[in-house]
Amino acid sequence: MLLIGLMSGTSADGVDAALVNITGTPPHLDVQEVAFITRPYDDATRAAVLALCRPEAPLSELGRMHVLLGHRFAEAALAVIAQAGLEPSDIALIGSHGQTVYHAPEAEPPFTLQIGDPAVIATRTGIP
């Protein structure tokens, strides 16, 4: 089964996309990397993401970046598919961690917040 994993770390430097082939059944799974790319954020996107990593960040900007990053994650997924010489219809699903913008381990209950709208990723790629 071909899957894509998407990730952007707290450095907010870009999106990593890994296309893997998983075979076997638990507990004997075999995972093989098919293709991998990193799509860097431009300076403005990185600055906007980092500006959201504070409690007083405006909700309107959080929402705007949630959608914008969904598009960036979708673009990375489509790029790694193209790099592998495949079509979106070849991919079973996409898993996306999103872009972490806030950690609150001391809150009750503890939480983190990730953005990068999965509905945008699914719509742009046609992949669940």
Side-chain angles (χ1 to χ4, degrees), residues 116-124:
D117 193 339
V120 171
I121 299 168
T123 299
R124 287 275 314 271

Side-chain angles (χ1 to χ4, degrees), residues 9 11 14-15 31 40 43-44 50 59 63-64 73 89 97 101 104 119 123-124:
S11 63
V15 179
V31 180
D43 291 341
L50 293 175
L59 188 56
R64 187 182 80 78
F73 277 78
S89 59
H97 177 271
V101 293
T123 299
R124 287 275 314 271

Side-chain angles (χ1 to χ4, degrees), residues 1-5 18 20 88 90-96 125 127-128:
M1 174 184 312
L2 293 169
L3 314 169
I4 294 175
V20 299
D90 296 321
I91 309 303
L93 60 90
I94 295 174
S96 178
T125 63
I127 303 167

Side-chain angles (χ1 to χ4, degrees), residues 58-120:
L59 188 56
S60 59
E61 185 62 10
L62 184 67
R64 187 182 80 78
M65 289 303 295
H66 181 55
V67 173
L68 186 141
L69 291 182
H71 286 284
R72 295 282 161 73
F73 277 78
E75 290 162 7
L78 293 169
V80 79
I81 292 167
Q83 178 180 309
L86 298 170
E87 297 293 327
S89 59
D90 296 321
I91 309 303
L93 60 90
I94 295 174
S96 178
H97 177 271
Q99 173 67 60
T100 300
V101 293
Y102 196 73
H103 288 286
E106 72 290 344
E108 188 53 47
F111 70 93
T112 68
L113 179 63
Q114 289 77 30
I115 61 173
D117 193 339
V120 171

